[in-house]
Amino acid sequence: MPDISDHYYLVKTTAIVVGGAGFLGSFLCESLLSLDCQDICIDNFSVNNKENITHLLEKRNFFLLEKNVNEPGFWQKEVLPASIDYVFFLTPETQTINSSGVENLLL
């Protein structure tokens, strides 16, 4: 799988898909890639299946972070693009858990 820092600056639009390995998330990731977007899929696979995205793992603009967004500072060690255009939050957890995940993404 390519490294995010290698070419993120070459792509105009960057999207994060939280829960991107789920049924809907994997289709969204595919659609974003077909639009030439850089797609950062974040999933901890507690519910979703990695098989849903195996065909995307070698795509040039697809990046997988196997992380739990509900853990504060979950992406502090990751090299991410300076600009994120869209965030799609497709996790199946409850509203309280989703709120803490969104808060962690924004911090």
Side-chain angles (χ1 to χ4, degrees):
M1 183 167 40
D3 183 66
I4 294 174
S5 61
D6 286 346
H7 67 277
Y8 67 80
Y9 54 87
L10 299 174
V11 181
K12 293 181 181 176
T13 304
T14 300
I16 291 178
V17 181
V18 180
F23 180 76
L24 294 176
S26 62
F27 282 102
L28 177 58
C29 288
E30 265 187 64
S31 296
L32 291 167
L33 291 171
S34 74
L35 297 171
D36 202 30
C37 293
Q38 176 173 274
D39 184 9
I40 302 170
C41 171
I42 303 175
D43 207 303
N44 65 357
F45 301 104
S46 63
V47 177
N48 296 329
N49 191 335
K50 198 169 191 173
E51 289 178 13
N52 291 338
I53 58 167
T54 52
H55 64 290
L56 302 176
L57 292 174
E58 295 303 319
K59 300 280 185 179
R60 183 176 185 276
N61 291 326
F62 182 80
F63 306 96
L64 173 64
L65 297 179
E66 194 169 335
K67 303 279 185 176
N68 184 346
V69 296
N70 295 310
E71 295 175 9
F74 74 94
W75 63 2
Q76 288 178 345
K77 295 181 181 179
E78 302 298 332
V79 177
L80 295 175
S83 174
I84 306 292
D85 300 298
Y86 301 99
V87 176
F88 299 94
F89 212 87
L90 302 173
T91 61
E93 287 90 4
T94 64
Q95 184 175 2
T96 304
I97 293 173
N98 280 341
S99 328
S100 65
V102 169
E103 182 181 352
N104 291 333
L105 274 171
L106 297 175
L107 295 178

